[in-house]
Amino acid sequence: MGNKPQQPNTSDVIQVRYDKLNALKEAGRDPFVITTSARDTMTETVKNNFEEYENKTVCVAGRIMSKRGKGKVSFLDLHDKTGKIQIFAKFDDLGEEEYGFLKKWDIGDIVEVTGFVFKTKMGEISIHATAVKLLSKSLKPLPEKYHGLTNTDLRYRQRYVDLIMNPEVKDTFIKRSQILSSIRRYLDGQGFMEVETPMLVANAGGAAARPFITHFNALDEDLKLRISLELYLKRLIVGGLERVYEIGRVFRNEGVDTRHNPEFTLMELYQAYTDYHGMMDLTENLYRHVAQDVLGTTVINYNGIEMDLGKPFERITMLDAVKKYSGVDFNEIKTDEEAKAVAKEHHVEFEDRHKKGDILSLFFEEFAEEHMIQPTFVMDHPIEISPLTKKKPEDPNYVERFEFFMNGWEMANAYSELNDPIDQRERFKAQEELLAQGDEEANTTDEDFLNALEIGMPPTGGIGFGIDRMTMLLTNSAAIRDVLLFPTMKSLDK
């Protein structure tokens, strides 16, 4: 049996690169003193418009991702943000000195190449180099080409390497950017105004979540990182802006899993003189617009499941969804005790403080949520789990709220917003009692927000969209970390 080739010691490989850099410095060619590039053309522009560029001199710049050839002829693959192109370099054209430096380039080096566009005998569009320049020396080798960067933990920690090695990762984040642009175009076209509200707040309200707490030394006060965008945006509705939205980071001091990261991107919008039915129409139109705009189709495929955004979205009440999938009709249940008894029968865990509405919600999560695969609005939640929402006039135990589901995931949450300051104060009071009982996710009373409601807020529809989950579905990404450029990771020092 023959001996296996030895893996070069990584530190030796790195030392060779440092030695090359030192040699360049001694020759007066330190690449790190170069401040700019004469690049005038992107690689994909050349490849997509060959007839226009044939025999024309261009200047390209990017990272070397492969090199081959021998003697006095070399071939390099140069990658820029648009794609890659082959570089053809000859000793005869560049001369002994320049060609000698080019031969010492490493995979990962960032270079500039000037040359004329041609097609090789094999039919590959290439650039015949007439001048070359090293712009930045790569001092650490990239992962081995054929195995790539497969360790997912390392991919998330070193996203810069992941983006270099895995083109599909770059495509995901390009799509994410396009999704955000498409959302903004749609809302701006509907007369909405994009605004920015504080991230550091005295009162982190508007959602059921545990906040991060920090200390502001200058005022000697504890502040929280916002958990939602809601209460400030509603103040702007009071101020007469009528249609506002914000896309921004929110922070929740909770667990990490495939769909949760402690900081994530939320979009909330509020529209005066409409209700949750208006928010349903807006959601349906927005999702349809973004899918068509970014993907070119309203039919999306996620993990083998086809979802059609082109068809009217299903609308079902939470009561009907629970009845359909658990067989329990909460209309027949009159008291909290009856609800708890039914929960025990169906092995649904609950806490002593839970009321009938809380248990209805737990039943929905247990039995119905996983079935919400096609785009579905689940409407009319119990009041116990909706402290900022208008009651249904015909049944004050329920509120004008919906959650939008796809693939069994909650994608958006919307209300006919509560604009009654007296009712709102009572709901805050109930939340304070829950806080006192140990519910760390309960809201506290926001006196300035109540003051705004007393000034007067028109009937308003509001909604919050999870941008990361939307991106996951539209890019067929398995986990939230795959659509966050730099997800939260446990420190390697721990």
Side-chain angles (χ1 to χ4, degrees):
M1 292 178 68
N3 291 326
K4 288 186 178 178
Q6 289 291 306
Q7 271 291 102
N9 184 306
T10 308
S11 59
D12 292 345
V13 171
I14 293 170
Q15 186 58 52
V16 167
R17 294 193 176 210
Y18 272 87
D19 291 344
K20 287 182 180 180
L21 176 63
N22 289 330
L24 285 166
K25 287 180 176 178
E26 287 171 13
R29 287 174 169 263
D30 182 355
F32 296 120
V33 304
I34 296 170
T35 58
T36 187
S37 166
R39 177 169 77 175
D40 57 22
T41 312
M42 305 305 289
T43 59
E44 283 300 293
T45 307
V46 172
K47 292 171 81 171
N48 293 338
N49 304 278
F50 175 69
E51 291 75 15
E52 181 188 336
Y53 279 91
E54 187 174 14
N55 295 319
K56 184 178 175 184
T57 296
V58 297
C59 182
V60 295
R63 190 183 296 275
I64 301 170
M65 292 302 288
S66 71
K67 53 184 291 203
R68 56 208 173 276
K70 57 186 177 180
K72 297 187 175 183
V73 176
S74 293
F75 293 92
L76 312 167
D77 277 342
L78 180 146
H79 288 223
D80 63 17
K81 74 169 187 173
T82 64
K84 67 175 181 175
I85 198 161
Q86 179 172 268
I87 305 297
F88 173 68
K90 287 177 71 178
F91 176 94
D92 295 346
D93 299 315
L94 296 174
E96 183 177 353
E97 186 180 25
E98 291 302 315
Y99 190 75
F101 281 113
L102 177 142
K103 288 287 283 182
K104 292 179 179 176
W105 287 354
D106 290 304
I107 290 171
D109 285 354
I110 295 168
V111 303
E112 175 187 285
V113 176
T114 302
F116 60 87
V117 178
F118 77 110
K119 201 175 270 188
T120 64
K121 290 176 183 176
M122 301 296 290
E124 183 166 357
I125 296 169
S126 306
I127 295 172
H128 188 133
T130 54
V132 296
K133 185 189 288 185
L134 179 64
L135 299 177
S136 180
K137 182 73 190 154
S138 173
L139 295 172
K140 281 193 173 179
L142 293 168
E144 199 267 318
K145 180 183 175 185
Y146 295 103
H147 297 110
L149 189 62
T150 52
N151 178 322
T152 51
D153 187 71
L154 193 61
R155 284 179 52 208
Y156 298 139
R157 290 184 190 279
Q158 296 187 12
R159 182 68 85 188
Y160 41 92
V161 181
D162 192 24
L163 290 165
I164 293 167
M165 299 305 298
N166 299 315
E168 69 281 0
V169 171
K170 186 162 73 172
D171 291 343
T172 293
F173 289 104
I174 289 170
K175 279 203 176 75
R176 182 185 174 108
S177 177
Q178 291 169 343
I179 288 165
L180 287 167
S181 296
S182 184
I183 289 169
R184 286 187 165 101
R185 277 194 301 274
Y186 179 80
L187 292 176
D188 294 348
Q190 297 294 311
F192 281 84
M193 170 181 167
E194 185 172 9
V195 297
E196 294 171 297
T197 63
M199 289 191 183
L200 281 171
V201 295
N203 189 340
R210 184 188 303 169
F212 287 93
I213 300 172
T214 187
H215 189 74
F216 182 25
N217 293 335
L219 295 182
D220 193 24
E221 285 183 358
D222 281 348
L223 292 173
K224 301 179 179 78
L225 288 171
R226 66 186 181 188
I227 59 173
S228 96
L229 314 173
E230 180 166 347
L231 300 181
Y232 281 101
L233 292 177
K234 285 183 178 175
R235 286 167 167 88
L236 300 180
I237 295 291
V238 170
L241 295 185
E242 292 196 5
R243 294 189 181 204
V244 293
Y245 73 96
E246 180 171 9
I247 299 172
R249 282 292 172 107
V250 296
F251 309 86
R252 298 183 181 180
N253 198 350
E254 297 170 346
V256 174
D257 61 26
T258 56
R259 281 185 281 160
H260 294 88
N261 193 69
E263 57 173 311
F264 61 98
T265 303
L266 187 63
M267 179 181 77
E268 291 196 31
L269 65 85
Y270 293 85
Q271 179 179 340
Y273 308 108
T274 191
D275 63 2
Y276 75 144
H277 292 291
M279 292 296 102
M280 284 185 224
D281 294 340
L282 184 145
T283 303
E284 198 162 332
N285 292 333
L286 175 64
Y287 258 78
R288 205 166 282 150
H289 165 86
V290 172
Q292 188 67 53
D293 199 19
V294 175
L295 305 179
T297 177
T298 56
V299 178
I300 65 170
N301 191 297
Y302 185 82
N303 201 22
I305 298 167
E306 197 172 90
M307 289 166 266
D308 191 351
L309 293 161
K311 294 177 180 174
F313 295 5
E314 186 183 348
R315 302 184 181 199
I316 188 171
T317 66
M318 185 177 278
L319 279 167
D320 287 345
V322 167
K323 185 177 177 181
K324 180 177 179 180
Y325 293 107
S326 75
V328 177
D329 185 353
F330 270 75
N331 276 322
E332 303 296 315
I333 295 171
K334 303 303 178 192
T335 66
D336 297 340
E337 286 65 35
E338 284 178 56
K340 288 177 180 178
V342 170
K344 285 176 182 172
E345 283 173 33
H346 288 76
H347 308 291
V348 174
E349 291 183 14
F350 60 89
E351 297 175 29
D352 286 344
R353 61 184 175 80
H354 282 155
K355 296 182 167 60
K356 173 188 164 183
D358 297 299
I359 292 169
L360 169 63
S361 176
L362 292 171
F363 263 75
F364 175 79
E365 289 172 13
E366 184 74 27
F367 295 104
E369 190 168 289
E370 65 184 353
H371 298 286
M372 305 292 138
I373 302 299
Q374 293 302 317
T376 304
F377 295 119
V378 177
M379 313 182 304
D380 302 349
H381 294 48
I383 193 168
E384 290 89 342
I385 61 167
S386 312
L388 297 164
T389 318
K390 271 199 172 185
K391 296 172 185 172
K392 290 181 70 64
E394 67 276 18
D395 188 349
N397 291 317
Y398 295 91
V399 296
E400 293 196 346
R401 173 184 175 187
F402 72 80
E403 288 173 293
F404 172 50
F405 283 87
M406 285 179 69
N407 193 48
W409 302 349
E410 180 206 333
M411 305 297 293
N413 185 23
Y415 311 152
S416 296
E417 301 297 332
L418 181 61
N419 62 344
D420 177 348
I422 299 163
D423 189 356
Q424 181 64 76
R425 184 174 290 280
E426 288 301 309
R427 308 253 197 122
F428 274 142
K429 189 176 174 185
Q431 288 283 302
E432 294 274 12
E433 287 169 9
L434 290 176
L435 198 64
Q437 292 169 28
D439 183 353
E440 294 182 357
E441 295 184 348
N443 286 198
T444 53
T445 304
D446 186 329
E447 288 294 345
D448 183 72
F449 177 64
L450 288 169
N451 185 62
L453 290 188
E454 287 169 345
I455 297 292
M457 185 170 94
T460 297
I463 188 165
F465 289 88
I467 297 295
D468 306 306
R469 290 187 190 177
M470 183 185 201
T471 305
M472 285 172 69
L473 280 187
L474 294 181
T475 60
N476 198 12
S477 297
I480 192 170
R481 288 179 170 190
D482 296 324
V483 299
L484 297 175
L485 279 166
F486 300 102
T488 303
M489 304 289 289
K490 186 176 182 179
S491 170
L492 289 171
D493 299 333
K494 297 288 184 184

